[in-house]
């Protein structure tokens, strides 16, 4: 079935692929990721080369030996999208199976989050403190912070357009007041609230580095200190309060409930407590020494 099927990969094809992705209204971050992954594939098969089914499967094995399963699967997704673009969907390769996680070991606790915010405030990093509170109180992605504008604060809601999907995020009244007060002090009267000294929207790398600098003073494990973990904390808190997975998926902007379930998984400590409490074995007093 595959004998005569050939996937042509070259720089011209990748340029056309980028245009195709934009026509599909893919996010620029996704387009950049897919092109980076396809350049990796191009290097694997050789410049301006053809790839048959055997070459695709060899690439899959090559990925397996060099990347974590999640990373390999994201690169396979890019390749499969390219095959669809070329009208070769039949040549698509399967991703690696990943065992579903029953619990998460590096989740940030509410207390740790509060310690990070307090530390930022004490250091005079008021913008950083508000960024952390904004992500944790709304579940917004770090890439969506640019949607928190003076105009959105006046409406008390954020209208997010991301990955070809639109959604509305409601803002807590206290957060709105804090952000408007901060904007007033910084003389920001329109546009994004979180900007650099040069007036550009804050980016992921800036915020990541600033958050990491707080871990030593607070005693919070540095492995837990990253912006997306605040989104996890929001998701867990919202779910435990409402048990409404569908509403949570809408707020987070997930198209699949399976993705949302990752955020609501119990921590290892909670899971251990459940296991201990099942009462399916005898206590130590009944065990002969």
């Amino acid at each position: 079935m595959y004998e005569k099927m050939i996937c042509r990969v070259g720089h011209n094809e990748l340029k056309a692929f980028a245009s195709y992705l934009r026509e599909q209204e893919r996010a620029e971050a996704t387009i950049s990721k897919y092109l980076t992954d396809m350049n990796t594939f191009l290097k694997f098969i050789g410049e301006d080369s053809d790839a048959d089914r055997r070459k695709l499967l060899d690439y899959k094995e090559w990925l397996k030996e060099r990347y974590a399963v999640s990373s390999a699967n994201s690169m396979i997704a890019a390749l499969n999208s390219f095959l669809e673009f070329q009208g070769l969907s039949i040549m698509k390769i399967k991703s690696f199976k990943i065992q579903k996680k029953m619990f998460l070991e590096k989740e940030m606790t509410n207390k740790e989050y509060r310690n990070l915010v307090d530390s930022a405030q004490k250091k005079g990093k008021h913008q950083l403190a508000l960024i952390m509170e904004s992500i944790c109180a709304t579940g917004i992605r770090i890439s969506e912070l640019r949607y928190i504008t003076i105009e959105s604060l006046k409406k008390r809601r954020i209208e997010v357009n991301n990955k070809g999907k639109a959604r509305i995020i409601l803002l807590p009244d206290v957060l709105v007041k804090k952000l408007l007060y901060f904007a007033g002090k910084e003389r920001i009267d329109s546009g994004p609230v979180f900007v650099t000294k040069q007036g550009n929207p804050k980016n992921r790398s800036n915020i990541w580095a600033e958050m990491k600098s707080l871990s030593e003073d607070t005693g919070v494990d540095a492995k837990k200190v990253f912006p997306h973990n605040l989104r996890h904390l929001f998701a867990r808190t919202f779910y435990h309060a409402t048990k409404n997975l569908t509403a949570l998926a809408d707020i987070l902007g997930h198209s699949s409930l399976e993705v949302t379930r990752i955020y609501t998984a119990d921590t290892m400590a909670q899971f251990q407590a459940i296991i201990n409490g099942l009462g399916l074995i005898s206590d130590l007093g009944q065990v002969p020494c």
Side-chain angles (χ1 to χ4, degrees):
M1 179 171 59
Y2 301 109
E3 287 80 1
K4 296 183 180 180
M5 292 185 178
I6 296 294
C7 169
R8 175 68 178 173
V9 188
H11 295 294
N12 290 334
E13 285 78 11
L14 292 186
K15 287 181 181 178
F17 180 47
S19 298
Y20 163 80
L21 292 173
R22 291 190 176 92
E23 289 173 2
Q24 296 293 312
E25 297 185 349
R26 295 296 190 97
E28 283 300 319
T30 300
I31 295 173
S32 177
K33 173 70 166 59
Y34 277 19
L35 291 178
T36 297
D37 291 343
M38 284 307 300
N39 273 303
T40 299
F41 178 65
L42 182 56
K43 290 176 182 177
F44 172 78
I45 64 174
E47 294 290 309
D48 298 311
S49 297
D50 295 334
D52 57 13
R53 175 70 174 179
R54 183 66 262 166
K55 183 72 74 172
L56 298 180
L57 294 177
D58 288 345
Y59 178 62
K60 180 179 179 179
E61 287 302 309
W62 183 82
L63 291 175
K64 183 179 179 181
E65 295 172 359
R66 291 166 175 78
Y67 294 89
V69 173
S70 58
S71 297
N73 280 344
S74 71
M75 298 171 83
I76 288 173
L79 177 58
N80 284 340
S81 181
F82 181 79
L83 291 170
E84 286 183 359
F85 155 66
Q86 290 206 329
L88 297 170
S89 294
I90 196 172
M91 290 183 70
K92 289 164 63 173
I93 57 179
K94 295 181 180 180
S95 59
F96 296 105
K97 291 184 178 180
I98 302 177
Q99 183 178 4
K100 291 183 180 179
K101 295 180 179 180
M102 297 177 66
F103 44 74
L104 302 169
E105 298 182 63
K106 297 179 181 178
E107 290 299 301
M108 185 182 297
T109 65
N110 192 299
K111 182 179 180 180
E112 289 170 333
Y113 154 64
R114 293 293 178 189
N115 287 342
L116 290 171
V117 172
D118 290 343
S119 177
Q121 292 283 15
K122 290 175 182 177
K123 288 187 171 185
K125 297 183 176 182
H126 305 298
Q127 184 191 65
L128 177 60
L130 284 172
I131 286 175
M132 291 190 290
E133 288 188 304
S134 296
I135 295 174
C136 199
T138 64
I140 197 169
R141 296 181 177 93
I142 189 171
S143 61
E144 297 169 341
L145 283 174
R146 66 183 186 277
Y147 292 107
I148 299 181
T149 63
I150 298 299
E151 294 75 17
S152 68
L153 293 179
K154 292 177 179 178
K155 295 178 181 178
R156 282 178 162 66
R157 67 178 185 273
I158 309 169
E159 296 176 11
V160 174
N161 291 286
N162 194 13
K163 297 185 177 181
K165 295 177 288 187
R167 72 186 195 279
I168 292 177
I169 297 175
L170 301 178
L171 299 172
D173 290 341
V174 175
L175 179 63
V176 170
K177 292 177 181 178
K178 293 177 76 169
L179 290 174
L180 285 174
Y181 178 76
F182 170 79
K185 288 186 64 177
E186 297 296 317
R187 298 182 180 178
I188 301 171
D189 53 19
S190 65
V193 173
F194 300 122
V195 294
T196 64
K197 292 180 180 179
Q198 291 72 37
N200 301 315
K202 296 278 288 188
N203 63 44
R204 185 188 307 269
S205 59
N206 297 146
I207 299 168
W208 186 295
E210 288 184 66
M211 280 186 63
K212 288 290 185 185
S213 70
L214 300 174
S215 62
E216 187 173 341
D217 294 334
T218 58
V220 179
D221 186 347
K223 293 180 180 179
K224 293 184 177 183
V225 184
F226 55 93
H228 206 68
N229 227 1
L230 298 173
R231 184 167 148 91
H232 281 216
L233 178 54
F234 166 82
R236 296 199 320 276
T237 305
F238 180 91
Y239 181 72
H240 289 158
T242 67
K243 296 296 188 268
N244 192 329
L245 197 64
T246 302
L248 178 59
D250 289 338
I251 293 171
L252 296 176
H254 290 160
S255 56
S256 169
L257 291 181
E258 289 302 316
V259 176
T260 309
R261 284 192 177 93
I262 296 173
Y263 290 78
T264 58
D266 289 324
T267 64
M268 183 175 287
Q270 291 171 318
F271 197 82
Q272 185 66 55
I274 292 172
I275 294 296
N276 290 342
L278 293 179
L280 297 177
I281 57 174
S282 59
D283 59 36
L284 290 175
Q286 298 173 292
V287 177
C289 298

